[in-house]
mmCIF file of all heavy atoms in Angstrom:
data_model
loop_
_atom_site.group_PDB
_atom_site.id
_atom_site.type_symbol
_atom_site.label_atom_id
_atom_site.label_comp_id
_atom_site.label_asym_id
_atom_site.label_seq_id
_atom_site.Cartn_x
_atom_site.Cartn_y
_atom_site.Cartn_z
ATOM 1 N N PHE A 56 0.843 -1.214 0.000
ATOM 2 C CA PHE A 56 0.000 0.000 0.000
ATOM 3 C C PHE A 56 0.863 1.242 0.000
ATOM 4 O O PHE A 56 0.627 2.211 -0.731
ATOM 5 C CB PHE A 56 -0.907 -0.046 1.234
ATOM 6 C CG PHE A 56 -1.752 1.189 1.383
ATOM 7 C CD1 PHE A 56 -2.823 1.413 0.531
ATOM 8 C CD2 PHE A 56 -1.480 2.134 2.375
ATOM 9 C CE1 PHE A 56 -3.603 2.544 0.665
ATOM 10 C CE2 PHE A 56 -2.260 3.260 2.490
ATOM 11 C CZ PHE A 56 -3.325 3.474 1.649
ATOM 12 N N LEU A 57 1.947 1.235 0.855
ATOM 13 C CA LEU A 57 2.850 2.397 0.925
ATOM 14 C C LEU A 57 3.580 2.603 -0.396
ATOM 15 O O LEU A 57 3.788 3.737 -0.849
ATOM 16 C CB LEU A 57 3.865 2.210 2.059
ATOM 17 C CG LEU A 57 3.273 2.263 3.483
ATOM 18 C CD1 LEU A 57 4.369 1.931 4.503
ATOM 19 C CD2 LEU A 57 2.695 3.661 3.761
ATOM 20 N N LEU A 58 3.989 1.507 -1.024
ATOM 21 C CA LEU A 58 4.677 1.608 -2.307
ATOM 22 C C LEU A 58 3.760 2.205 -3.368
ATOM 23 O O LEU A 58 4.175 3.039 -4.177
ATOM 24 C CB LEU A 58 5.156 0.211 -2.724
ATOM 25 C CG LEU A 58 5.939 0.153 -4.036
ATOM 26 C CD1 LEU A 58 7.199 1.025 -3.959
ATOM 27 C CD2 LEU A 58 6.320 -1.285 -4.364
ATOM 28 N N ALA A 59 2.523 1.842 -3.339
ATOM 29 C CA ALA A 59 1.551 2.378 -4.299
ATOM 30 C C ALA A 59 1.372 3.869 -4.096
ATOM 31 O O ALA A 59 1.279 4.649 -5.058
ATOM 32 C CB ALA A 59 0.220 1.654 -4.149
ATOM 33 N N LEU A 60 1.326 4.295 -2.789
ATOM 34 C CA LEU A 60 1.191 5.733 -2.507
ATOM 35 C C LEU A 60 2.386 6.504 -3.047
ATOM 36 O O LEU A 60 2.257 7.605 -3.602
ATOM 37 C CB LEU A 60 1.059 5.945 -0.995
ATOM 38 C CG LEU A 60 -0.281 5.575 -0.359
ATOM 39 C CD1 LEU A 60 -0.227 5.793 1.168
ATOM 40 C CD2 LEU A 60 -1.407 6.432 -0.965
ATOM 41 N N CYS A 61 3.587 5.951 -2.865
ATOM 42 C CA CYS A 61 4.796 6.618 -3.376
ATOM 43 C C CYS A 61 4.749 6.765 -4.887
ATOM 44 O O CYS A 61 5.120 7.802 -5.447
ATOM 45 C CB CYS A 61 6.042 5.822 -2.973
ATOM 46 S SG CYS A 61 6.411 5.940 -1.204
ATOM 47 N N MET A 62 4.300 5.724 -5.557
ATOM 48 C CA MET A 62 4.238 5.776 -7.016
ATOM 49 C C MET A 62 3.257 6.838 -7.473
ATOM 50 O O MET A 62 3.505 7.596 -8.428
ATOM 51 C CB MET A 62 3.825 4.405 -7.576
ATOM 52 C CG MET A 62 4.887 3.330 -7.369
ATOM 53 S SD MET A 62 6.418 3.720 -8.238
ATOM 54 C CE MET A 62 5.844 3.580 -9.937
ATOM 55 N N LEU A 63 2.116 6.944 -6.783
ATOM 56 C CA LEU A 63 1.127 7.965 -7.120
ATOM 57 C C LEU A 63 1.703 9.358 -6.915
ATOM 58 O O LEU A 63 1.487 10.281 -7.711
ATOM 59 C CB LEU A 63 -0.131 7.766 -6.263
ATOM 60 C CG LEU A 63 -1.002 6.572 -6.630
ATOM 61 C CD1 LEU A 63 -2.134 6.405 -5.586
ATOM 62 C CD2 LEU A 63 -1.612 6.772 -8.022
ATOM 63 N N ALA A 64 2.465 9.524 -5.819
ATOM 64 C CA ALA A 64 3.049 10.835 -5.525
ATOM 65 C C ALA A 64 4.057 11.226 -6.591
ATOM 66 O O ALA A 64 4.120 12.366 -7.035
ATOM 67 C CB ALA A 64 3.713 10.811 -4.149
ATOM 68 N N LEU A 65 4.882 10.263 -7.000
ATOM 69 C CA LEU A 65 5.876 10.563 -8.038
ATOM 70 C C LEU A 65 5.214 10.942 -9.349
ATOM 71 O O LEU A 65 5.641 11.867 -10.052
ATOM 72 C CB LEU A 65 6.783 9.340 -8.244
ATOM 73 C CG LEU A 65 7.791 9.064 -7.128
ATOM 74 C CD1 LEU A 65 8.482 7.719 -7.381
ATOM 75 C CD2 LEU A 65 8.834 10.187 -7.061
ATOM 76 N N CYS A 66 4.146 10.261 -9.699
ATOM 77 C CA CYS A 66 3.424 10.580 -10.937
ATOM 78 C C CYS A 66 2.837 11.973 -10.874
ATOM 79 O O CYS A 66 2.866 12.741 -11.827
ATOM 80 C CB CYS A 66 2.320 9.545 -11.183
ATOM 81 S SG CYS A 66 2.977 7.933 -11.637
ATOM 82 N N ALA A 67 2.294 12.288 -9.694
ATOM 83 C CA ALA A 67 1.699 13.616 -9.521
ATOM 84 C C ALA A 67 2.744 14.696 -9.657
ATOM 85 O O ALA A 67 2.536 15.727 -10.298
ATOM 86 C CB ALA A 67 1.002 13.699 -8.160
ATOM 87 N N CYS A 68 3.911 14.492 -9.039
ATOM 88 C CA CYS A 68 4.999 15.477 -9.134
ATOM 89 C C CYS A 68 5.436 15.641 -10.573
ATOM 90 O O CYS A 68 5.695 16.740 -11.048
ATOM 91 C CB CYS A 68 6.183 15.045 -8.269
ATOM 92 S SG CYS A 68 5.852 15.204 -6.493
ATOM 93 N N GLY A 69 5.546 14.494 -11.273
ATOM 94 C CA GLY A 69 5.956 14.568 -12.673
ATOM 95 C C GLY A 69 4.975 15.345 -13.498
ATOM 96 O O GLY A 69 5.339 16.138 -14.355
ATOM 97 N N SER A 70 3.685 15.133 -13.209
ATOM 98 C CA SER A 70 2.651 15.852 -13.959
ATOM 99 C C SER A 70 2.743 17.337 -13.692
ATOM 100 O O SER A 70 2.616 18.173 -14.578
ATOM 101 C CB SER A 70 1.273 15.321 -13.581
ATOM 102 O OG SER A 70 1.179 13.961 -13.931
ATOM 103 N N LYS A 71 2.984 17.680 -12.412
ATOM 104 C CA LYS A 71 3.068 19.101 -12.059
ATOM 105 C C LYS A 71 4.282 19.743 -12.723
ATOM 106 O O LYS A 71 4.223 20.848 -13.225
ATOM 107 C CB LYS A 71 3.155 19.247 -10.540
ATOM 108 C CG LYS A 71 1.857 18.961 -9.825
ATOM 109 C CD LYS A 71 2.014 19.105 -8.320
ATOM 110 C CE LYS A 71 0.711 18.791 -7.603
ATOM 111 N NZ LYS A 71 0.858 18.905 -6.141
ATOM 112 N N ASP A 72 5.423 18.975 -12.707
ATOM 113 C CA ASP A 72 6.632 19.529 -13.321
ATOM 114 C C ASP A 72 6.438 19.738 -14.822
ATOM 115 O O ASP A 72 6.861 20.747 -15.400
ATOM 116 C CB ASP A 72 7.819 18.614 -13.074
ATOM 117 C CG ASP A 72 8.264 18.658 -11.618
ATOM 118 O OD1 ASP A 72 7.887 19.621 -10.908
ATOM 119 O OD2 ASP A 72 8.995 17.730 -11.210
ATOM 120 N N THR A 73 5.783 18.726 -15.455
ATOM 121 C CA THR A 73 5.534 18.843 -16.892
ATOM 122 C C THR A 73 4.643 20.021 -17.193
ATOM 123 O O THR A 73 4.878 20.807 -18.111
ATOM 124 C CB THR A 73 4.899 17.554 -17.422
ATOM 125 O OG1 THR A 73 5.780 16.464 -17.165
ATOM 126 C CG2 THR A 73 4.629 17.659 -18.913
ATOM 127 N N ALA A 74 3.580 20.139 -16.385
ATOM 128 C CA ALA A 74 2.662 21.265 -16.577
ATOM 129 C C ALA A 74 3.384 22.586 -16.372
ATOM 130 O O ALA A 74 3.161 23.555 -17.086
ATOM 131 C CB ALA A 74 1.486 21.148 -15.608
ATOM 132 N N LYS A 75 4.276 22.606 -15.321
ATOM 133 C CA LYS A 75 5.021 23.828 -15.043
ATOM 134 C C LYS A 75 5.941 24.164 -16.214
ATOM 135 O O LYS A 75 6.050 25.310 -16.627
ATOM 136 C CB LYS A 75 5.850 23.660 -13.765
ATOM 137 C CG LYS A 75 6.633 24.910 -13.354
ATOM 138 C CD LYS A 75 7.361 24.683 -12.047
ATOM 139 C CE LYS A 75 8.088 25.941 -11.579
ATOM 140 N NZ LYS A 75 9.071 26.383 -12.552
ATOM 141 N N ASP A 76 6.615 23.106 -16.764
ATOM 142 C CA ASP A 76 7.503 23.337 -17.896
ATOM 143 C C ASP A 76 6.728 23.880 -19.083
ATOM 144 O O ASP A 76 7.179 24.800 -19.786
ATOM 145 C CB ASP A 76 8.207 22.042 -18.292
ATOM 146 C CG ASP A 76 9.238 21.634 -17.249
ATOM 147 O OD1 ASP A 76 9.645 22.506 -16.432
ATOM 148 O OD2 ASP A 76 9.639 20.448 -17.270
ATOM 149 N N GLU A 77 5.539 23.292 -19.331
ATOM 150 C CA GLU A 77 4.728 23.761 -20.447
ATOM 151 C C GLU A 77 4.286 25.195 -20.233
ATOM 152 O O GLU A 77 4.288 26.009 -21.158
ATOM 153 C CB GLU A 77 3.517 22.838 -20.629
ATOM 154 C CG GLU A 77 3.885 21.453 -21.134
ATOM 155 C CD GLU A 77 2.677 20.540 -21.197
ATOM 156 O OE1 GLU A 77 1.588 20.958 -20.722
ATOM 157 O OE2 GLU A 77 2.826 19.433 -21.729
ATOM 158 N N THR A 78 3.915 25.520 -18.987
ATOM 159 C CA THR A 78 3.509 26.895 -18.672
ATOM 160 C C THR A 78 4.666 27.856 -18.880
ATOM 161 O O THR A 78 4.515 28.931 -19.448
ATOM 162 C CB THR A 78 3.012 26.978 -17.220
ATOM 163 O OG1 THR A 78 1.911 26.090 -17.060
ATOM 164 C CG2 THR A 78 2.584 28.406 -16.884
ATOM 165 N N ASP A 79 5.870 27.440 -18.415
ATOM 166 C CA ASP A 79 7.053 28.290 -18.578
ATOM 167 C C ASP A 79 7.351 28.524 -20.047
ATOM 168 O O ASP A 79 7.697 29.629 -20.476
ATOM 169 C CB ASP A 79 8.260 27.660 -17.897
ATOM 170 C CG ASP A 79 8.155 27.715 -16.380
ATOM 171 O OD1 ASP A 79 7.313 28.494 -15.864
ATOM 172 O OD2 ASP A 79 8.923 26.993 -15.713
ATOM 173 N N ASP A 80 7.210 27.418 -20.851
ATOM 174 C CA ASP A 80 7.465 27.557 -22.287
ATOM 175 C C ASP A 80 6.488 28.524 -22.919
ATOM 176 O O ASP A 80 6.850 29.371 -23.744
ATOM 177 C CB ASP A 80 7.358 26.193 -22.974
ATOM 178 C CG ASP A 80 8.551 25.299 -22.647
ATOM 179 O OD1 ASP A 80 9.585 25.832 -22.185
ATOM 180 O OD2 ASP A 80 8.436 24.075 -22.873
ATOM 181 N N ASN A 81 5.204 28.388 -22.534
ATOM 182 C CA ASN A 81 4.188 29.287 -23.089
ATOM 183 C C ASN A 81 4.454 30.727 -22.700
ATOM 184 O O ASN A 81 4.322 31.648 -23.504
ATOM 185 C CB ASN A 81 2.787 28.866 -22.620
ATOM 186 C CG ASN A 81 2.363 27.556 -23.255
ATOM 187 O OD1 ASN A 81 2.854 27.189 -24.325
ATOM 188 N ND2 ASN A 81 1.451 26.849 -22.592
ATOM 189 N N GLN A 82 4.836 30.910 -21.397
ATOM 190 C CA GLN A 82 5.136 32.256 -20.941
ATOM 191 C C GLN A 82 6.339 32.819 -21.688
ATOM 192 O O GLN A 82 6.374 33.984 -22.062
ATOM 193 C CB GLN A 82 5.401 32.246 -19.429
ATOM 194 C CG GLN A 82 4.145 32.036 -18.595
ATOM 195 C CD GLN A 82 4.454 31.924 -17.111
ATOM 196 O OE1 GLN A 82 5.607 31.715 -16.731
ATOM 197 N NE2 GLN A 82 3.421 32.060 -16.282
ATOM 198 N N GLN A 83 7.359 31.948 -21.949
ATOM 199 C CA GLN A 83 8.540 32.395 -22.674
ATOM 200 C C GLN A 83 8.154 32.825 -24.085
ATOM 201 O O GLN A 83 8.626 33.830 -24.603
ATOM 202 C CB GLN A 83 9.568 31.269 -22.728
ATOM 203 C CG GLN A 83 10.885 31.652 -23.398
ATOM 204 C CD GLN A 83 11.624 32.726 -22.643
ATOM 205 O OE1 GLN A 83 11.594 32.750 -21.429
ATOM 206 N NE2 GLN A 83 12.273 33.621 -23.375
ATOM 207 N N GLN A 84 7.266 32.042 -24.734
ATOM 208 C CA GLN A 84 6.819 32.395 -26.076
ATOM 209 C C GLN A 84 6.064 33.713 -26.064
ATOM 210 O O GLN A 84 6.194 34.524 -26.973
ATOM 211 C CB GLN A 84 5.935 31.289 -26.643
ATOM 212 C CG GLN A 84 6.723 30.009 -26.947
ATOM 213 C CD GLN A 84 5.806 28.887 -27.377
ATOM 214 O OE1 GLN A 84 4.601 29.084 -27.523
ATOM 215 N NE2 GLN A 84 6.367 27.709 -27.577
ATOM 216 N N ASP A 85 5.280 33.953 -25.004
ATOM 217 C CA ASP A 85 4.492 35.175 -24.940
ATOM 218 C C ASP A 85 5.367 36.414 -24.800
ATOM 219 O O ASP A 85 5.019 37.485 -25.293
ATOM 220 C CB ASP A 85 3.506 35.111 -23.762
ATOM 221 C CG ASP A 85 2.406 34.088 -24.003
ATOM 222 O OD1 ASP A 85 2.193 33.725 -25.181
ATOM 223 O OD2 ASP A 85 1.771 33.669 -23.027
ATOM 224 N N VAL A 86 6.498 36.260 -24.110
ATOM 225 C CA VAL A 86 7.324 37.440 -23.848
ATOM 226 C C VAL A 86 8.455 37.591 -24.849
ATOM 227 O O VAL A 86 9.242 38.528 -24.745
ATOM 228 C CB VAL A 86 7.915 37.411 -22.416
ATOM 229 C CG1 VAL A 86 6.804 37.403 -21.389
ATOM 230 C CG2 VAL A 86 8.844 36.200 -22.241
ATOM 231 N N ASP A 87 8.574 36.663 -25.822
ATOM 232 C CA ASP A 87 9.598 36.827 -26.845
ATOM 233 C C ASP A 87 9.386 38.148 -27.567
ATOM 234 O O ASP A 87 8.270 38.442 -28.023
ATOM 235 C CB ASP A 87 9.531 35.687 -27.862
ATOM 236 C CG ASP A 87 10.215 34.433 -27.347
ATOM 237 O OD1 ASP A 87 10.940 34.516 -26.343
ATOM 238 O OD2 ASP A 87 10.010 33.384 -27.964
ATOM 239 N N PRO A 88 10.428 38.967 -27.690
ATOM 240 C CA PRO A 88 10.257 40.268 -28.345
ATOM 241 C C PRO A 88 9.989 40.105 -29.834
ATOM 242 O O PRO A 88 10.568 39.253 -30.491
ATOM 243 C CB PRO A 88 11.599 40.965 -28.098
ATOM 244 C CG PRO A 88 12.579 39.841 -27.918
ATOM 245 C CD PRO A 88 11.808 38.740 -27.239
#
């Protein structure tokens, strides 16, 4: 059960990081002169 919780947490972090990276990329594109 604990191992399953860890795996879920890692997936969630990865999703957040990916989303953050995508947001950063979009923001970078928006501010390109």
Side-chain angles (χ1 to χ4, degrees):
F56 176 73
L57 291 175
L58 182 60
L60 286 178
C61 288
M62 292 297 293
L63 287 173
L65 287 172
C66 290
C68 288
S70 298
K71 287 179 181 179
D72 288 342
T73 301
K75 182 177 183 300
D76 289 342
E77 291 176 353
T78 301
D79 289 344
D80 287 343
N81 290 336
Q82 288 176 344
Q83 183 64 36
Q84 291 174 4
D85 291 340
V86 299
D87 280 347

